[in-house]
Every structure is written in structure tokens, then in C-alpha cells.
Amino acid sequence: MNTHEARLVALRKQLVEQGLDGFVVPICDEHMSEYVGAYAKRLEWLTGFAGSAGTAVVLRDRAAMFVDGRYTLQVREQVDARFYDFEQVPASSAAAWLARHVQAGARIGYDAWLHTRDWAGAMARTLAARGADLVAVDANPVDAVWTGQPAPSAAPAFAQPIEFAGVDHADKRAAVAAWLADQGCDAVVIAALDSVAWLFNIRGADVERTPVALAFALVHADGGADLFLAPEKVTSELVAHLGDAVRIAPRAAFADALAALGGKRVAVDPERSVAAIFHALDRAGATIVPLTDPVIVPKAIKNPVEIAGQHAAQARDGAALSRFLHWLERTAPAGGETEVSASNRLEGERRATNALIDLSFDTISGAGPNGAVVHYRADPATCRTIEPNSVYLVDSGGQYRDGTTDVTRTVWIGPDAPPPEVRDRFTRVLKGHIALARAVFPAGTTGAQLDVLARQFLWAAGLDYAHGTGHGVGSFLAVHEGPQRIAKAQGAQAGTGHPLLAGMIVSNEPGYYRAGAYGIRIENLVLVEPRAIDGAEGEFLGFATLTHAPIDRRLIDLSLLDAGERDWLNAYHAQVRTIVAPLLDGADRVWLEAGTAPL
């Protein structure tokens, strides 16, 4: 079953055996994670699509793939159009597509451990209007036909010590217990992997690029907790770290623990908990109180120790990136480097710090037209050579014990000067980046309200980009973290309506993409911090830039920058010199100083 066609055929046979007329295959795990362990990459195994967001719907006679604007190009490169329709969300959806193609009496299956209750309810209503049924399966049919499916990771969980965490996990649990008392609840389900990791000050190696352990938790009103993770992941050091107030049980015992909560008032986050959790509590007779995970906002507001760690990680990471960019400028114009060789070199520079635990995501190393694929991932078999006189985009980051980094730089590969169009587009992206970085805004402002600042100069030229402008970032945790987000407001899209709060970290990453030609993105991480304004009537906030790496001045059309924008860039580059130059030696330091000299 080596071809995706054969896998699709096998799945359809399995659907017949299970009495189903269709099945929905998301990119997800039992924790509603964005990035998942190898065992949960069902959509990639079935279709070949390797993005981080997408869904397939398979009927007996046709199938469709659903992705957002980030993956419009990628899905067509990785998924065979002979077998799948391509649908773009939010203009389309799995429910809308099924409403057009499902027959009355059809039974459409879904795995209740991979979807939210709200999704299942909305899908069930859509299908019922067509006379069809949504059916929760007892066994996932993809797993039934996936020969060689990896087992969940058995890597041990480990403590994130107080020197990096900043707050003891007992204090964190006490805060959750106080929240439960305020809400009149007996317990809360913590299902998101990064929430579990942050709450208990533990980390793991169960999801590539995200240092989390596969675990569920129940926290009770008395401050005690039950932590569910596989026995092979539990060490004596972990037991000592957690203490007597945290009871450890096998991950497989989580469903039984839910069944024992009958008569209790249990808080559950509808956005971050799968439908199966709600089903189990309903069957048990528990009173479900739908509330946002109480860990989400405290986790997003970094404490002073986490902020200090982020500064240290960013300096270290900026030096590694600067060494890489200097190497790239020296070697790439000769035409001998590829997307993969460049990506490997950058990872090597990070590993040379002796502090890198893992990358924070698969490096996006896009040469020429591949840079226009927003979440492109280079493959050794198909990667492009980085050609002279072209645009190269690299989006990358590292996981360090003291912080998580994420940075994008777009550079010109010489020897000739960049074309006027490229310089124009790059400068418009830079102007948007600067406008957002300089923003001052009243407390209560949301990311959706700020998003236009980053797009305005592209919009003025009739241009735009099909992704958000900023996402939250964890502390040695998920590189994409909520609840904050800077993006166009689109209905109830997560994060765009949540206010930005002091202590949150968010990315600033406007871009421009010309399909088949090149991509441009400039990304720094920024810290939300208070702004003191004489005469201010109320609390105001702004951004402090955390990322330290030069911005390619060869791509800037100086005639498009005003005096304030030049001042910002000069001040930014001065900060880069101050922080990064002492970490570099010899020619690398000389290069950095030249590349960050005042305009």
C-alpha cells in the first residue's frame, strides 16, 4: 500500500466494512494540537499533504481536501488532483461540501477523539438537513488500514525547573483551584498539551518540534490533580518533581476517570477538548460547564523569569542566524547551495550554541518561487538550488530551555542588484512591519484592530497576503500559542478578538507572495509591554522587539521610507549590533556591523 491511491482504495473498503458512506480525516490528535506526533499524522499518510492545518473528506465515490490560504499552492503540489477536489476555507468547508454531495440516508463517520463537540454538532445539523447522519466511530478506519502506523512516543517526561519556569507548579495549581471556586466547579479538564506542560512545569519529546508530553489532567477544587500519561514516561525524577498532590495514572485511564465524575460540576474548554470528553462526561451524569481553559491566559502572559529567558534565547538565536546569513551571502551567489543545504547549515549554527533542544518548527527554506509557498517545506528529492540573482526566504526557529524563537528573513542572492519590483514589495512589507512594531494602543485592543497597520502599504498598491500577521509564542513550548493573534477578523476565528495583554509575546510577520516567482516575509517576535505617555487617560501598551537579526538593506527602496521609518530601522539595527555583535567573532562580526550600519 505504497501509493496514496492504494491507501484511498483501502480506506474506502474499510468504510464499507464499518457500514459508513464517508469519513472525515483531520490533522489533529486527542488534544486538538496543531502539530501532532507521528502516530496521528493520518491525513499526511492518506493524502500526502504535509501542512499543519487541513481536512479531507472521503466518500465512496469522491473526496475533497480543505485548506486555508497558507496552503493553496502546497496542497496542489502534494495531493493528487485525480482523487481529491481542492477546497479553500473559509469560503468553503467540509460541511458545505458534504451538503452538496451526500445522499439521503448516508452515514458519515468521524472520530470523536479528533474533533470538538461544536464541530460535531454543526456537522450533524448540516447532514441532518440532507437526511444523513454523523456517526462517532468506535475505531478509526484510517488506523485500521494504516500498516506500519507508528506507536505514540514513549519518551520520558521531564521537569522544567523553576530557574526557567519562574513559578512553582503548586502555585499554578492553587490559582486554578481558586478559579474553580469562583466558577462553582469541582474540577476542570486540562486537555491541551502545552497547557498540561505549563501547569505542571513538565516538558517532553512526544511531538516533533514542540516539547510536550502526551498527557491529560484533571485539577480539583482542593488544588490536587490527576495527571494521565503512559507509565513508560514516568521517571523517579518526575514523581519527585510533581509531589504528593499530583496523582499519576496511565493515559489510558483518563476515560475511566471522566466516567467517575458523575454528579460533579466539571469545567471543560469546548475549543481545546475533543467531543469524546464531553460524551464521556455526559454519560457519567456530570454537569458540564463550558469555560475557557484557565491556563491559557496565564501561560500567554510571561512572568519575569520567562521574559528574561526569552531575551537570552533571542540573543543566542540571533547570533546563530547572523552567522548563517553571512555564510549564505558568501556562498550562495556561486549557485552551489540548495534549500536543504541552507536549512541544514542554519540548524547546524543553532546546534553549535550547545543549547538547542530542537527546532521550533520545520524550517521554511524557500528559493525563488518556493518562497511564495507560505508554509513550504524543502524535500531533498525536490528542493531547488538557490540561484544567483534571486530572492531567498528562510523562516525558522529554535527550542531552548529558556525560550522559543521564530524569525523570518528574506534576502537577495546577488551579485546583481534586485529588480525594482522586488525592492518595492519588500519595502512595503518592511513599512508594515515597522508600523506594527511602533504601534501604541490602549489596553483592551485586539490583534484584529492592529492587523491593518501591517497591511496598509500593500493595500495601497492593490496587494495583500493570505495569512495572519502575528501569533503568540510559548516559553519552551508551542511556537504557535493562543489566545492572542494579529489577523483579519473572520467571524469567530480564534484569537483575533482577544485583547493583547502586557507580558504576551506575539510575532510581527507581514509578507507578500508572487506565485511562481518569489516570496517576502519579515518576522520578529515582540513583547507586549506598558507604555508611559504623559497625559494619557488610561493604560496604554506597545511592543518591544525581541528578535535580533539584520534586515537585508539591499532589498530596501530608501525612497519609500519616511524619516521615522529610517530612524526605527537604524535604532533596530543598533540594538542588533549591541546584543549580537559581542557573540560573534572575526569576519562574522565585521559582516554584522556593516549590515547594521545606519542608513
Side-chain angles (χ1 to χ4, degrees):
M1 206 182 304
N2 293 324
T3 69
H4 294 111
E5 180 181 11
R7 294 170 183 178
L8 182 60
V9 169
L11 177 60
R12 284 177 165 145
K13 289 180 180 177
Q14 183 65 29
L15 295 183
V16 172
E17 290 184 17
Q18 293 186 214
L20 298 171
D21 298 288
F23 190 69
V24 182
V25 185
I27 299 175
C28 201
D29 62 8
E30 301 88 342
H31 308 271
M32 298 306 300
S33 305
E34 177 183 17
Y35 298 110
V36 300
Y39 79 96
K41 294 184 177 180
R42 297 175 178 89
L43 185 64
E44 183 173 354
W45 177 83
L46 177 66
T47 69
F49 177 66
S52 64
T55 300
V57 177
V58 177
L59 301 177
R60 293 188 183 184
D61 59 349
R62 67 188 305 159
M65 280 288 308
F66 301 84
V67 298
D68 62 33
R70 295 171 295 173
Y71 298 108
T72 303
L73 300 177
Q74 182 176 338
V75 72
R76 284 165 170 76
E77 293 176 355
Q78 295 180 330
V79 179
D80 197 325
R82 293 178 299 164
F83 309 124
Y84 294 90
D85 299 339
F86 298 130
E87 301 282 328
Q88 185 166 324
V89 298
S92 181
S93 69
W97 186 85
L98 279 167
R100 295 196 303 271
H101 299 293
V102 75
Q103 301 297 315
R107 289 165 47 85
I108 306 300
Y110 81 107
D111 187 334
W113 285 99
L114 301 179
H115 297 273
T116 66
R117 180 184 65 169
D118 290 350
W119 177 93
M123 178 64 80
R125 289 190 293 273
T126 297
L127 293 175
R130 297 285 298 171
D133 292 318
L134 183 68
V135 180
V137 299
D138 294 324
N140 191 305
V142 176
D143 295 348
V145 298
W146 185 353
T147 54
Q149 181 180 19
S153 164
F158 55 90
Q160 174 75 334
I162 196 71
E163 65 183 285
F164 298 124
V167 178
D168 188 86
H169 67 85
D171 294 327
K172 295 179 179 180
R173 286 187 287 103
V176 173
W179 175 85
L180 284 169
D182 289 342
Q183 302 298 329
C185 292
D186 300 296
V188 58
V189 174
I190 306 294
L193 295 179
D194 58 338
S195 290
V196 174
W198 183 88
L199 178 60
F200 293 93
N201 288 345
I202 63 173
R203 300 294 189 267
D206 293 347
V207 177
E208 214 171 275
R209 314 309 193 197
T210 307
V212 293
L214 292 171
F216 292 101
L218 291 171
V219 181
H220 303 278
D222 63 0
D226 298 291
L227 181 63
F228 302 88
L229 70 170
E232 61 267 24
K233 312 178 79 57
V234 180
T235 65
S236 58
E237 293 82 4
L238 184 70
V239 173
H241 163 74
L242 292 171
D244 295 338
V246 178
R247 297 170 292 274
I248 301 175
R251 185 164 175 260
F254 177 60
D256 290 339
L258 295 175
L261 291 174
K264 303 289 188 181
R265 286 176 54 83
V266 183
V268 189
D269 188 333
E271 183 182 333
R272 297 171 179 86
S273 300
V274 295
I277 292 173
F278 287 88
H279 297 339
L281 291 170
D282 279 334
R283 288 193 297 268
T287 299
I288 297 173
V289 184
L291 293 169
T292 299
D293 177 346
V295 168
I296 295 299
V297 173
K299 173 166 55 67
I301 299 173
K302 306 302 183 271
N303 64 53
V305 170
E306 291 171 324
I307 292 172
Q310 181 66 218
H311 282 298
Q314 290 290 351
R316 183 187 313 121
D317 200 69
L321 180 58
S322 295
R323 287 191 294 268
F324 164 77
L325 292 173
H326 181 209
W327 167 84
L328 187 72
E329 186 175 299
R330 294 194 316 270
T331 61
E337 301 298 336
T338 69
E339 295 168 334
V340 169
S341 70
S343 178
N344 289 342
R345 175 73 182 216
L346 178 52
E347 181 174 352
E349 294 290 358
R350 285 192 166 102
R351 295 206 177 278
T353 67
N354 295 317
L356 185 75
I357 305 299
D358 194 1
L359 301 182
S360 56
F361 56 95
D362 290 334
T363 297
I364 299 168
S365 176
N370 285 344
V373 181
V374 177
H375 278 197
Y376 173 74
R377 185 173 67 185
D379 180 275
T382 60
C383 75
R384 292 180 61 90
T385 296
I386 301 174
E387 298 176 354
N389 301 317
S390 68
V391 177
Y392 172 70
L393 182 154
V394 59
D395 186 348
S396 66
Q399 292 284 9
Y400 305 94
R401 289 301 291 264
D402 50 3
T404 299
T405 68
D406 182 2
V407 51
T408 306
R409 287 297 181 263
T410 305
V411 298
W412 177 252
I413 306 299
D416 296 346
E421 179 192 289
V422 172
R423 294 174 66 228
D424 175 89
R425 303 304 191 256
F426 183 90
T427 308
R428 291 178 185 276
V429 171
L430 176 61
K431 286 168 70 71
H433 179 97
I434 293 171
L436 186 56
R438 295 167 66 189
V440 177
F441 47 93
T445 299
T446 68
Q449 291 171 303
L450 297 179
D451 183 74
V452 66
L453 295 176
R455 298 178 191 268
Q456 59 182 309
F457 303 103
L458 290 165
W459 284 0
L463 310 169
D464 199 4
Y465 51 93
H467 59 75
T469 300
H471 57 83
V473 176
S475 180
F476 187 42
L477 272 177
V479 74
H480 293 161
E481 176 182 86
Q484 73 275 24
R485 189 164 183 261
I486 301 174
K488 296 177 183 178
Q490 294 180 344
Q493 189 175 34
T496 55
H498 197 282
L500 297 170
L501 303 172
M504 287 180 167
I505 293 173
V506 66
S507 65
N508 173 1
E509 51 179 309
Y512 170 75
Y513 311 91
R514 183 175 175 188
Y518 59 86
I520 294 166
R521 187 160 64 252
I522 303 170
E523 178 187 18
N524 288 341
L525 300 188
V526 296
L527 173 70
V528 183
E529 61 179 13
R531 281 284 183 269
I533 303 174
D534 289 341
E537 297 180 354
E539 179 186 354
F540 278 74
L541 302 169
F543 296 121
T545 298
L546 297 171
T547 304
H548 312 299
I551 293 171
D552 193 346
R553 301 190 308 167
R554 295 167 297 177
L555 285 166
I556 300 173
D557 182 344
L558 292 178
S559 69
L560 294 179
L561 294 185
D562 63 29
E565 291 164 338
R566 289 188 184 214
D567 289 345
W568 183 92
L569 188 58
N570 285 336
Y572 174 70
H573 274 157
Q575 183 183 52
V576 172
R577 285 196 307 278
T578 298
I579 292 171
V580 176
L583 304 178
L584 300 176
D585 297 315
D588 289 330
R589 184 166 182 165
V590 172
W591 174 86
L592 180 78
E593 290 173 345
T596 58
L599 294 174

